[in-house]
Amino acid sequence: MQSQLSSSLLYTAAGLSALTVAAHTQMGLDLVLPSLKKTNPTDPGLRAAKIGWMELNQGYVLMTIMATKWARHGMTSPYEKAFAAVYSLSQMAFGVWYAREGFPVVMLPLWGIPGLLGLSQLV
């Protein structure tokens, strides 16, 4: 049985993930996609980058769903724990990469959500 604090941390992670979908989409529309339009539109790598930017939102949608499920029913199976671990480690590594590129604002979703997942398993 998980604690009320654990559930609250997971609901917070789910909420942050859902907000990140909107913020990530807006950043793509305002910053990323216009920058890519200024370059060679026939470059397959740039076309893939456009798709990839928006495709990343599926990870935040999945985390919203999973964190809500975990808040209600707990993180019980080893597969769920492995999913959470891989997600968290990946997000934290990408956070370092973004910070090195001068985008510290993305630390909340990239380190905050994994931090909440981890804390939820300790309380």
Side-chain angles (χ1 to χ4, degrees), residues 93-107 110-111:
F94 288 125
V96 170
W97 194 357
Y98 270 108
R100 287 182 181 163
E101 295 295 323
F103 291 98
V105 70
V106 299
M107 293 310 165
L110 294 175
W111 287 5

Side-chain angles (χ1 to χ4, degrees), residues 31-50:
L31 178 70
V32 177
L33 299 181
S35 293
L36 292 174
K37 281 184 181 179
K38 295 176 186 175
T39 60
N40 181 358
T42 62
D43 183 334
L46 293 173
R47 291 194 339 254
K50 289 179 189 179

Side-chain angles (χ1 to χ4, degrees), residues 18-35 53-54 57 60 105-106:
L19 288 173
T20 300
V21 172
H24 193 263
T25 300
Q26 194 63 51
M27 185 178 183
L29 295 173
D30 292 345
L31 178 70
V32 177
L33 299 181
S35 293
W53 181 266
M54 294 305 184
N57 283 330
Y60 291 113
V105 70
V106 299

Side-chain angles (χ1 to χ4, degrees), residues 2-117:
Q2 71 182 3
S3 70
Q4 181 62 36
L5 179 55
S6 177
S7 290
S8 295
L9 291 169
L10 288 163
Y11 279 125
T12 302
L16 287 174
S17 289
L19 288 173
T20 300
V21 172
H24 193 263
T25 300
Q26 194 63 51
M27 185 178 183
L29 295 173
D30 292 345
L31 178 70
V32 177
L33 299 181
S35 293
L36 292 174
K37 281 184 181 179
K38 295 176 186 175
T39 60
N40 181 358
T42 62
D43 183 334
L46 293 173
R47 291 194 339 254
K50 289 179 189 179
I51 296 166
W53 181 266
M54 294 305 184
E55 180 184 6
L56 286 173
N57 283 330
Q58 68 184 329
Y60 291 113
V61 171
L62 289 172
M63 185 48 60
T64 301
I65 293 166
M66 293 306 295
T68 302
K69 184 251 185 222
W70 294 331
R72 292 181 181 167
H73 306 290
M75 192 183 301
T76 56
S77 86
Y79 300 105
E80 291 175 330
K81 291 176 183 181
F83 173 81
V86 169
Y87 178 87
S88 295
L89 292 172
S90 298
Q91 291 296 88
M92 294 178 94
F94 288 125
V96 170
W97 194 357
Y98 270 108
R100 287 182 181 163
E101 295 295 323
F103 291 98
V105 70
V106 299
M107 293 310 165
L108 181 63
L110 294 175
W111 287 5
I113 295 167
L116 291 167
L117 293 177

